[in-house]
Amino acid sequence: MYRFLLSRQWVILTLIMLALIPTMIELGFWQLHRHEHKVALNQVISDSLAAKPAPAESLTAPGRTVAHKDLYRRVTAKGTFDTADEVVVRRRTNSDEEVGFHVLTPFVLDDGRVLMVNRGWIPADGAQTEFPRIPAPSKGETTVTGRLMADETTADSGIKDVRGLPDRMVMLINSEQQSESLGKQVLGGYVALTAPEPKGDSPELIAEPDHSGIGPHMAYAVQWWLFAAGVPVGYVVLVRRERRDRLEAAEAESTPAAEPAVV
């Protein structure tokens, strides 16, 4: 009574089931890897924020990628802000999800090399195509402190690197792009400024990253694995129901119809 499994409908259903199980298992492992990545990143952030500030030049250099273990590490640098070559990063939000700009200012070190400093968020005065008014940073030689960040790329951030933008506007914070624009040696990555704090609280400093939550990825992984386990169970239930229905239909066909009563 299981010959119905060879029918076109059941062959297709069986193939779908066989494809769903490994797909769901793989999706579960994908979510597990995301969970592990989040846990590891939280530990890196926690360790970096707890560590003593280090000179920025000791952790990065021109053309160098910021090491994963050094992400969010507090660093210091001595030099002067170059506001003449300051740019803004479009479509960035603050802690209240308001859209504006990040202010990216070259910080010229004593040896002439440049460290890009994200001085924080400012609102858009008008359209996103209009260059905003930016509060000036500290003048003269200054020591800055901030969190060391990796260069932004479209692959990592999901932000499309739009070309042909208005003058002094960029979509990504990328040291290589800034090096080409400035014609100078720019240290890899950039620094999210934490000190000195701006006068008048503008630009608004970038908030410290949240490293307390782990997200729902582990729950999603378990969910996908439960789905994978449920597929064969559901398949067996459907097969048994189909067999029962066919047996009942066969019995009904074999039972002779009752003779009509004689009045």
Side-chain angles (χ1 to χ4, degrees), residues 143-220:
T143 297
V144 298
T145 303
R147 296 182 294 271
L148 183 61
M149 308 295 295
D151 284 320
E152 295 179 346
T153 65
T154 297
D156 292 334
S157 67
I159 300 173
K160 186 177 181 181
D161 192 13
V162 179
R163 299 295 181 174
L165 295 175
D167 190 36
R168 299 177 65 189
M169 290 189 180
V170 297
M171 295 299 299
L172 297 170
I173 305 178
N174 187 283
S175 62
E176 290 185 4
Q177 291 181 2
Q178 292 302 311
S179 179
E180 292 178 7
S181 176
L182 297 172
K184 297 179 180 179
Q185 286 190 316
V186 177
L187 275 62
Y190 69 97
V191 168
L193 185 70
T194 58
E197 295 186 6
K199 297 178 181 179
D201 297 326
S202 184
E204 180 182 321
L205 295 180
I206 307 301
E208 184 174 290
D210 178 19
H211 55 284
S212 59
I214 58 174
H217 304 300
M218 178 57 78
Y220 289 160

Side-chain angles (χ1 to χ4, degrees), residues 31-43 210-221:
Q31 289 290 349
L32 175 63
H33 294 154
R34 294 188 69 186
H35 167 78
E36 292 173 341
H37 173 76
K38 180 64 175 177
V39 171
L41 180 60
N42 283 349
Q43 188 61 52
D210 178 19
H211 55 284
S212 59
I214 58 174
H217 304 300
M218 178 57 78
Y220 289 160

Side-chain angles (χ1 to χ4, degrees), residues 220-255:
Y220 289 160
V222 173
Q223 188 178 64
W224 280 118
W225 291 331
L226 289 176
F227 287 160
V231 168
V233 174
Y235 180 81
V236 170
V237 170
L238 289 175
V239 169
R240 295 184 65 179
R241 182 180 297 172
E242 180 72 11
R243 180 176 180 274
R244 183 194 64 199
D245 292 346
R246 286 174 179 266
L247 286 173
E248 291 177 352
E251 288 181 12
E253 289 179 0
S254 63
T255 301

Side-chain angles (χ1 to χ4, degrees), residues 19-238:
L20 281 176
I21 292 174
T23 299
M24 290 178 175
I25 292 174
E26 183 62 28
L27 287 171
F29 278 110
W30 174 60
Q31 289 290 349
L32 175 63
H33 294 154
R34 294 188 69 186
H35 167 78
E36 292 173 341
H37 173 76
K38 180 64 175 177
V39 171
L41 180 60
N42 283 349
Q43 188 61 52
V44 168
I45 295 173
S46 179
D47 292 344
S48 293
L49 295 178
K52 293 181 179 180
E57 303 95 311
S58 67
L59 300 179
T60 183
R64 177 175 163 184
T65 300
V66 175
H68 182 74
K69 65 181 179 62
D70 293 327
L71 290 175
Y72 299 95
R73 178 69 186 273
R74 290 190 299 161
V75 295
T76 60
K78 181 184 289 187
T80 56
F81 283 109
D82 174 19
T83 56
D85 292 313
E86 195 167 53
V87 298
V88 293
V89 191
R90 287 163 51 94
R91 299 176 187 172
R92 298 302 170 108
T93 57
N94 64 356
S95 55
D96 296 323
E97 298 300 320
E98 296 174 312
V99 179
F101 303 94
H102 279 178
V103 179
L104 189 63
T105 310
F107 190 74
V108 183
L109 307 178
D110 293 339
D111 60 8
R113 295 183 300 174
V114 174
L115 174 67
M116 300 307 300
V117 175
N118 184 347
R119 295 203 288 124
W121 179 89
I122 59 172
D125 295 330
Q128 281 277 325
T129 55
E130 297 179 8
F131 194 82
R133 279 192 271 176
I134 304 174
S138 303
K139 294 183 179 180
E141 189 171 70
T142 306
T143 297
V144 298
T145 303
R147 296 182 294 271
L148 183 61
M149 308 295 295
D151 284 320
E152 295 179 346
T153 65
T154 297
D156 292 334
S157 67
I159 300 173
K160 186 177 181 181
D161 192 13
V162 179
R163 299 295 181 174
L165 295 175
D167 190 36
R168 299 177 65 189
M169 290 189 180
V170 297
M171 295 299 299
L172 297 170
I173 305 178
N174 187 283
S175 62
E176 290 185 4
Q177 291 181 2
Q178 292 302 311
S179 179
E180 292 178 7
S181 176
L182 297 172
K184 297 179 180 179
Q185 286 190 316
V186 177
L187 275 62
Y190 69 97
V191 168
L193 185 70
T194 58
E197 295 186 6
K199 297 178 181 179
D201 297 326
S202 184
E204 180 182 321
L205 295 180
I206 307 301
E208 184 174 290
D210 178 19
H211 55 284
S212 59
I214 58 174
H217 304 300
M218 178 57 78
Y220 289 160
V222 173
Q223 188 178 64
W224 280 118
W225 291 331
L226 289 176
F227 287 160
V231 168
V233 174
Y235 180 81
V236 170
V237 170
L238 289 175

